[in-house]
Amino acid sequence: MTYPHAGAARAYLFNDRTVEGYRRAMAAGTERVAERIRRADRPFSGVSPERLAPRIAAIDLERPLHDQAAVLDELERVYLRDAVYFHHPRYLAHLNCPVVIPALLGEAVLSAVNSSLDTWDQSAGGTLIERRLVEWTAGRVGFGPASDGVFTSGGTQSNLHALLLAREEARTDASPARLRVITSEAGHFSVRKAANLLGLGPDAVVTVETDAQRRMRPAALARELGRCRRAGLVVMAVVATAGTTDFGSIDPLPEIADLCARAGAWLHVDAAYGCGLLVSRRRRHLLDGIERADSVTVDFHKSFFQPVSSSAVLVRDGAVLRHAAHHADYLNPLRMAEQGIPNQVDKSLQTTRRFDALKLWLTLRTMGPDAVGELFDEVVDRAAEAHALITADPRFEVVTRSPLSTLVFRYLPQEGPGRELADDANLYAREALAASGAAVVAGTKVDGRHHLKFTLLNPETTLDDIAHVLDLLAGHARRYVDELAPPADHPGVTHVHA
């Protein structure tokens, strides 16, 4: 028996007769979250999958609790207590930002109304709000009045969407095995994933070398474009990156745009991370050249302080979105297009789709774009200060300086037999720090060696926070080396410089 008495299930539906229950439920839920945020003294509890999984597996989903307080108590035990809190100033790991309150209001509204953004008759004003935001963002990019776009689930979907359009625009009889996508060796993995999903050959994605700042080398791109031409291969797209995931590097967009124009290749700019520069009053010039792209990916949930998900793909010529359009008699028949009825499903890879644009709309209408840009500038400023701090610290070595807010570095043991343990020491330090819950940092590989990574997206993170996390990392790494390194005069010791 799922419900205590006949008809009780209807009490859980949100409608005009249950609004008081809705108010109470929302108030209770937001109070739990607010209290958890207020009391969180670290970004993570350090819980392991082995400890948490049995708690969740033990819950009998066939036996509901029928009590909101009991349900929230249980949620505390299996989720809220051990969640990773991006709002905490010592969360320094991935491209996850703290969120602004107007966007949280938008999340509550859009979930309750539950509009679906595929067709006008399911969303009405939601369709027009999304279209207005696409127009606004495209204007910030520098696209003209012919531009268009659509909101997506994130950068991976946006990149897939853009490459689909690029493939169709190539207008070639070449087999998929002869199509090529060129990106840099620091580009996002979703480019290769998109090529696989589009049915291109296993050699479809070609990576070209980067410079010391991990930016695509235009000379290397020029060589690859020439090689493809001579080999009879069709370059359907060049993917430049404005904010690589690891290094925050921004490819030289004007030079790349020149090469694409000469080669007749579609230029896609993955600005999922760097799109925050669109509202920066001090650093917008770092995106110069993006207006010459054929398509652009933006992730508002990375650098506009929006909840997941809030993203978009933009195109300079809106006509190309026809390649994603399909018409169904029950949903968006051709006569609706002929009547000028605006249906976003005509542009999207998705059908049912949340009104995620509302979060950005309320953010802009409450705070304004300059305030968002100010927050993003703060984290970029902090990253520059952190770079100087780490560069001056003899315990660490830094890979490069980011124009955005990432820092890739590693602990380097002192000269001697412990130096060969550098890779394992950095891995251990990251894992030990996460297990303690005191901070969360990311890791990556650079030239085959393990490194640590800070991604700063929280304006509340101070230089003292960063210095404290560095001390924690160095302490964990040093203990690992001290326990495992042989004595310096041990016979047979080989000094390997990592």
Side-chain angles (χ1 to χ4, degrees), residues 389-409:
L389 181 69
I390 302 175
T391 300
D393 192 327
R395 299 173 297 180
F396 301 98
E397 65 174 3
V398 185
V399 176
T400 186
R401 178 170 178 175
S402 168
L404 295 178
S405 61
T406 58
L407 294 107
V408 178
F409 61 99

Side-chain angles (χ1 to χ4, degrees), residues 59 126 129 137 149 170 176 178 199 205 207 209 323 333 337 374 466 493:
I59 294 173
I129 286 174
T137 310
R178 300 189 67 79
V205 178
T207 59
E209 65 191 62
H323 298 306
E374 180 181 328
I466 294 166
V493 168

Side-chain angles (χ1 to χ4, degrees), residues 100 102 136 140 275-281 300 302-306 359-360 362-379 459:
V100 291
W136 175 82
R140 287 275 175 162
C275 65
L277 297 171
L278 294 174
V279 288
S280 168
R281 286 183 287 183
F300 303 113
K302 285 188 172 67
S303 47
F304 274 65
F305 306 96
Q306 300 295 292
K359 295 175 286 192
L360 180 61
L362 291 185
T363 298
L364 294 178
R365 297 308 299 139
T366 304
M367 297 171 55
D370 286 349
V372 177
E374 180 181 328
L375 293 176
F376 191 65
D377 275 335
E378 281 192 57
V379 297

Side-chain angles (χ1 to χ4, degrees), residues 12 33 55 59 63 68 70 79 98 168 181 204 278 281 289 445 457 473 481:
Y12 295 115
V33 173
R55 293 185 222 159
I59 294 173
R63 297 175 63 85
Q68 181 176 278
Y79 175 60
E168 297 305 300
V181 177
L278 294 174
R281 286 183 287 183
K445 272 191 172 183
L457 283 176
L473 287 167
V481 172

